[in-house]
Amino acid sequence: MKYKLSVRIFLTYRDKDVKVEVELSDEEVARIKELVAKDLEEQKQVDGDDEDGEDDFVSPPDLLDILDRKSPELFDLLWDVIFPKVFVESLIDGIKNYGELVRHEDDHYRSHRKVSFDELYEMYGDDMEIDHYNDCICKIPRSWMPKNPK
């Protein structure tokens, strides 16, 4: 079944929210839900150990981070779909902000979103470093979050 995921891409002056569609089996979704619940429970226990009683900033849970640590196969499945979007948006942002300093001499495209990812990656892939820790966050769909017992 296809699922839409929300990804926030961190750019120079503003973030960009995009949607990606990923094909997942019922078993994969069940496994993701299980991993998310387990990770959130572990984080809750760690956060509860705050000695001075102050609330430290806690970033929102990131699906890619959880899967990277708990299930590399599921991480790869999602990252293969998310990476091209992050790459293209980061490239557009770089060209917008730094112009000819980053634009490849063979790049004569008006809209990089309409160019095949493979062409752009061939042209710019060696010059860009993209990773999910620094460049984006994948929000966990509410339906994949554990239900709180009342």
Side-chain angles (χ1 to χ4, degrees), residues 16 19 25 30 50 61 70 82 92 99 139 150:
K16 180 169 181 82
K19 299 278 187 199
S25 69
D50 193 0
K70 308 267 184 192
I82 294 170
I92 291 168
K139 298 174 186 175
K150 293 187 179 189

Side-chain angles (χ1 to χ4, degrees), residues 103-109 123-124:
R103 184 183 289 271
H104 194 278
E105 62 188 33
D106 296 330
D107 181 348
H108 303 291
Y109 303 115
M123 194 177 296
Y124 289 100

Side-chain angles (χ1 to χ4, degrees), residues 78-97:
L78 268 59
W79 188 236
D80 288 348
V81 174
I82 294 170
F83 175 76
K85 289 267 194 187
V86 176
F87 184 91
V88 170
E89 293 303 327
S90 297
L91 174 63
I92 291 168
D93 184 64
I95 291 171
K96 180 192 272 184
N97 289 302

Side-chain angles (χ1 to χ4, degrees), residues 116-134:
S116 99
F117 169 72
D118 292 335
E119 286 181 53
L120 290 176
Y121 191 78
E122 178 75 26
M123 194 177 296
Y124 289 100
D126 291 340
D127 299 324
M128 294 178 63
E129 291 184 35
I130 304 286
D131 66 64
H132 72 91
Y133 290 111
N134 297 310

Side-chain angles (χ1 to χ4, degrees), residues 58-75:
V58 178
S59 60
D62 175 12
L63 184 57
L64 290 173
D65 179 47
I66 293 169
L67 296 179
D68 190 25
R69 289 183 284 109
K70 308 267 184 192
S71 177
E73 308 81 32
L74 288 170
F75 168 82

